Amino acid sequence: MIPVSLLVFVMAGWCAVYLADTLLRSSVTHRISYESWLASRGLMLSPFHVRWQTTMFNRLFAYCARINPRALYMWFNSGLVFGIAAMLGSVVLLIRTLQQTIAQMTTDNPRIGDPQTLQVVVPGVNLPTSQLAYFFIALLLSGVIHELGHAVAALREQVRVNGFGMFVFVVYPGAFVDLFTTHLNLISPAQQLRIFCAGVWHNFVLCLAALAFLFLLPLLLFPMYATGAGALVTEVVQSSAADGPRGLSVGDIVTGLEDCPVRGVEDWTSCLSHLAHTPQTGYCVPVASLQPSWAHGRAFKRLDGTMDCCSNNSLTDLCFSYIKSQGRSSREREYACMPVRKMVTGTRVCHTDDDCAAHSHTASICVTPSLENQTRFIRVTHPPNTHMLFVGYPPHLQYAVSLTNFVPRFGFLHLDLPVFLETFCKYVVSLSGALAVVNSVPCFALDGQWMLNALLEATLASVVIDRQKRELIGFFLLLAGSALLAANVALGLWMVTAR
């Protein structure tokens, strides 16, 4: 469900804006000056929509349109080819996404299945409020680059640009360019296609540029930040499994999870996934440690069928199981409640007693924590501190800690700079790519509508002579594309907010 506080805040903000606008427009003394002030600044207000338009960037667009005409011709021709391919690809992608959504809706476990390439984003629901700034800035940047492509392509094709603007619809920012329609209708379909495809083409190029920057980030930050030495802790959720006097702290460098080395965030994630889906790791301890002085617990079954032997809810003891030989052919599983930190500190991991015998000169035995089915005991290595001992569901440890691959070489460097750059680039890749896909869909009111109309005029004019028939073909194609996009948005929104 959408958080009530977010809805109240958004509705209250828009109600205040709309009420102030209504009062000023209805005021006898302030109406003329207020409307003149709005017009002079290019502002337009309507329910849940604020729009600003200016001509101050027209010279910049004209300058860009005069840079190396031959190179621009090839650039926008490449955009034309990409736009046509993207229009077909977007339809295939939406059909695939719709199939995945329906499959998830009809299953009892919505997590089963392939992850969706496209997903409806609702701030405060599937977008953390702590990352709203990344989202809105990346979305606005993607929109501005999109419209820059349209403006430069239009001026290159001798179509006048009336102005550039930005808007906010509910909470989503965007940008637009106002083209002179008469000029646009006079040019050829191929020229129109170059203009209409320029937006999605520039979004695609921005997506590639952000990906390249993300890939080269370790090299660019190499003089200031080191990578490959471990995963640096940048945040620990309070009262989580990783918090506490012997837990993780901001600035710690995690280098291992059990016997799985951690050289970065990717290793951290893969190691946790590996530990969650493999049997619990055992530890080699001397046989002398299993003397009766450690108070062998009387084992009892938990509700899930697993065994426990520590009945005093101790925070320092844990139930361990091991195989005890009763003779040459008899082997019996025993349980002992033992002080966990003392038992596992500095010990080698194992799966059988043979693993211990191969690496130890003293008589050792492999003991395994006796835990509930999905619970794991994990030693987190973060030198020079002692191991952090975690008992719980491995994904909980992943959600409790934020990490980065970048370790500052100097003390004055901020830990969050690489995190900011990395996160922002990921948002630019996602949102600019999404804009390229969505705007390519042959749908009413999107770039895909004009791309499809121009494409039909360029390809069917000699085959279907009657213009009305070509328009009818385009109408039905647009109707199908609009229905496909609407179904994806509606079902995706329901999946995000209702489930």
Side-chain angles (χ1 to χ4, degrees), residues 102-252:
I102 294 174
Q104 289 185 354
M105 291 174 63
T106 54
T107 183
D108 294 332
N109 186 359
R111 294 185 178 183
I112 296 177
D114 298 329
Q116 292 178 311
T117 305
L118 292 176
Q119 191 175 52
V120 177
V121 176
V122 181
V125 180
N126 60 346
L127 176 67
T129 53
S130 61
Q131 298 193 356
L132 287 179
Y134 292 113
F135 175 80
F136 289 129
I137 295 173
L139 183 60
L140 185 59
L141 174 64
S142 301
V144 168
I145 296 299
H146 179 99
E147 299 304 330
L148 173 66
H150 286 312
V152 175
L155 288 171
R156 192 199 161 278
E157 302 296 342
Q158 307 303 314
V159 174
R160 190 177 75 194
V161 175
N162 295 327
F164 165 84
M166 298 182 185
F167 65 88
V168 175
F169 177 68
V170 187
V171 295
Y172 296 97
F176 65 92
V177 288
D178 182 16
L179 303 181
F180 190 51
T181 308
T182 303
H183 289 177
L184 197 59
N185 292 332
L186 291 176
I187 61 178
S188 68
Q191 291 175 298
Q192 291 177 356
L193 264 177
R194 280 194 284 269
I195 296 174
F196 297 143
C197 293
V200 297
W201 169 239
H202 277 71
N203 277 136
F204 175 70
V205 172
L206 177 62
C207 182
L208 291 182
L211 271 176
F213 184 83
L214 196 61
F215 179 75
L216 295 174
L217 194 58
L219 183 62
L220 297 174
L221 295 180
F222 178 77
M224 298 179 291
Y225 294 87
T227 57
L232 178 69
V233 178
T234 58
E235 183 183 2
V236 180
V237 178
Q238 289 186 353
S239 302
S240 67
D243 193 22
R246 292 192 174 182
L248 296 175
S249 302
V250 174
D252 286 352

Side-chain angles (χ1 to χ4, degrees), residues 8 56 61 72 95 104 112 135 158 185 191 240 280 292 319 465 467 496:
V8 171
M56 69 172 64
F61 297 149
L72 284 179
I95 292 174
Q104 289 185 354
I112 296 177
F135 175 80
Q158 307 303 314
N185 292 332
Q191 291 175 298
S240 67
Q280 172 63 55
C319 183
I465 307 299
R467 184 182 181 86
V496 168

